[in-house]
Amino acid sequence: MPVHVVADDPAKLVSVRKLLEPRFAVTSELLRGASVQRGDVTALVIRADLRTLENIHALKKIIRALSKVRKRVFLVDATAHLHVSQAYALGATRVLLGPLDRTTLFAELSEPVAGGEAAAGQGQGSQVAAAVGEAALASMFTAVATGLPIDIQSARSAGSHIADSIAETGLADWLTTVRRHHEGTYQHCLLVTGIAVDFGLSLGVTKADIERLYSAAMFHDVGKAKIPLEILDKPGKLDDHERALIETHPVAGYEVLKNNNQVSPEILDAVRHHHEYLDGSGYPDGLSNGRIADIVRILTISDIFAALIENRRYRSPMSREDAYGILKGMHGKLEKPLVAAFRDVALNR
Ligand SMILES: [Fe+2]
Ligand SMILES: [Fe+2]
């Protein structure tokens, strides 16, 4: 597969070329460098500082010129929400974070391209819905991190797109697509949204409730935009301080959304209370039984299940069976009949 590499300095260019050659046929160019002949390539690999406007303008030009290239992998060194969302705003199909890693990059480049021959007929709808969802989440997280207004409507319509995709191709297809192509908090939010929608569909809730579910799921972890990625994506156990910081996210999300008149009280309630348990042992308010709304109970089950089956770089994903086993073992914390009803979603759908 011919790959075109773009970087904003010669050292970065060399480091990426070294990684890819000789496995891939590589052409390359320096961002804002001399003009080059770009061959017939099937993937673009970009490693550049996405904070400078000059780089962004130059990248836009190259991406436009190579608009037929369907795979655009961005290698981002800095672990900040802003860089990740900037990459997606530029049209990244995948963002790989942290130090260069040959295995991950090879795996990504070897994946069939969405809409390409190998993927024809399957998963395309879900790939588009996931890309739309990721872009909406990225823009929302950036807005929260930088204190800019949140585009509520985009997040909601991305949720609706995801709901359509689930109704059309089912949950299994969604889980496969999202776990293969997305990472970290965005992967999590996309999974929760799909699972919550499918749970709602299996319960036969109204269309209005499906809308509430996907909106609540898209917004539920937006408070994590205030937490450094090093902590959110930390492999292994968190220390007490890190855990306490993570546990601030429901209130942080509530605070950024509470004065927005496009966000209904039910959605706000779900954002604030999706980590509460029926026995009062959850956070942030230690609510118990009667004070946790139905939609929040559905969201909480979907959220825990999604977290368990996520695909993380440092551990293999748990099987759906094992994850459901854990939910069933959470005695007193989750609504028993609801967990029983979730069985079909968890294992079969
Ligand atoms: Fe959460
Ligand atoms: Fe969550």
Side-chain angles (χ1 to χ4, degrees):
M1 169 197 277
V3 177
H4 189 65
V5 178
V6 180
D8 60 352
D9 83 48
K12 285 185 192 170
L13 205 60
V14 170
S15 64
V16 180
R17 284 199 76 125
K18 261 192 182 161
L19 210 64
L20 292 169
E21 286 169 325
R23 165 81 179 267
F24 296 95
V26 181
T27 55
S28 61
E29 73 178 280
L30 208 50
L31 203 54
R32 293 182 284 140
S35 66
V36 292
Q37 193 71 31
R38 302 178 189 117
D40 219 1
V41 295
T42 45
L44 200 52
V45 175
I46 294 165
R47 188 171 182 220
D49 187 336
L50 302 179
R51 283 167 301 188
T52 73
L53 273 181
E54 293 90 339
N55 279 357
I56 289 169
H57 286 314
L59 275 172
K60 274 187 183 165
K61 258 195 200 162
I62 294 174
I63 290 168
R64 217 177 298 132
L66 292 171
S67 61
K68 285 208 178 83
V69 180
R70 305 281 294 278
K71 188 174 288 217
R72 291 177 291 272
V73 182
F74 280 62
L75 307 174
V76 173
D77 306 324
T79 52
H81 295 292
L82 208 61
H83 300 273
V84 180
S85 44
Q86 184 60 263
Y88 281 110
L90 282 165
T93 50
R94 179 72 189 253
V95 179
L96 300 178
L97 284 175
L100 293 182
D101 172 46
R102 177 177 271 129
T103 317
T104 319
L105 185 55
F106 276 18
E108 183 55 33
L109 290 173
S110 309
E111 276 288 319
V113 181
E117 257 177 82
Q122 58 155 226
Q124 289 177 38
S126 55
Q127 290 196 17
V128 173
V132 170
E134 171 118 26
L137 287 162
S139 121
M140 183 160 70
F141 273 69
T142 306
V144 171
T146 54
L148 291 167
I150 303 171
D151 184 352
I152 300 291
Q153 201 37 51
S154 289
R156 208 177 275 144
S157 72
S160 151
H161 210 104
I162 293 170
D164 291 345
S165 167
I166 297 285
E168 218 168 278
T169 52
L171 184 63
D173 181 52
W174 180 251
L175 298 183
T176 309
T177 299
V178 172
R179 289 194 291 185
R180 185 178 295 164
H181 298 286
H182 301 268
E183 274 195 299
T185 304
Y186 301 149
Q187 179 195 152
H188 170 73
C189 293
L190 294 172
L191 289 177
V192 177
T193 304
I195 293 165
V197 164
D198 197 56
F199 195 7
L201 291 173
S202 82
L203 292 168
V205 303
T206 62
K207 195 164 173 261
D209 277 337
I210 294 287
E211 282 174 23
R212 284 187 193 101
L213 278 172
Y214 65 63
S215 299
M218 285 292 284
F219 295 121
H220 84 285
D221 270 343
V222 72
K224 286 185 178 169
K226 304 267 191 196
I227 298 168
L229 281 178
E230 299 86 83
I231 297 180
L232 285 181
D233 291 340
K234 184 181 169 183
K237 239 181 150 21
L238 298 169
D239 66 31
D240 289 350
H241 171 72
E242 292 164 337
R243 175 137 312 275
L245 196 61
I246 290 219
E247 290 188 359
T248 61
H249 79 270
V251 172
Y254 172 85
E255 289 296 328
V256 296
L257 296 172
K258 72 175 181 189
N259 294 324
N260 194 314
N261 58 15
Q262 294 180 77
V263 181
S264 69
E266 295 142 303
I267 303 299
L268 273 181
D269 180 45
V271 170
R272 186 174 177 112
H273 293 131
H274 67 276
H275 287 284
E276 302 285 359
Y277 290 134
L278 300 184
D279 62 4
S281 65
Y283 63 91
D285 298 320
L287 296 188
S288 53
N289 224 331
R291 296 185 55 211
I292 305 176
D294 288 345
I295 185 175
V296 183
R297 298 174 189 215
I298 294 175
L299 181 65
T300 301
I301 291 173
S302 309
D303 183 37
I304 299 169
F305 187 71
L308 291 170
I309 63 164
E310 264 161 48
N311 194 10
R312 309 296 297 254
R313 255 179 295 168
Y314 48 84
R315 65 161 167 82
S316 38
M318 188 181 282
S319 71
R320 290 169 72 171
E321 290 73 18
D322 289 349
Y324 184 63
I326 289 184
L327 280 179
K328 272 206 314 190
M330 293 177 67
H331 301 293
K333 296 188 185 299
L334 306 170
E335 189 182 321
K336 223 175 163 189
L338 215 46
V339 174
F342 188 68
R343 186 172 197 281
D344 192 36
V345 178
L347 304 182
N348 302 325
R349 287 167 68 100

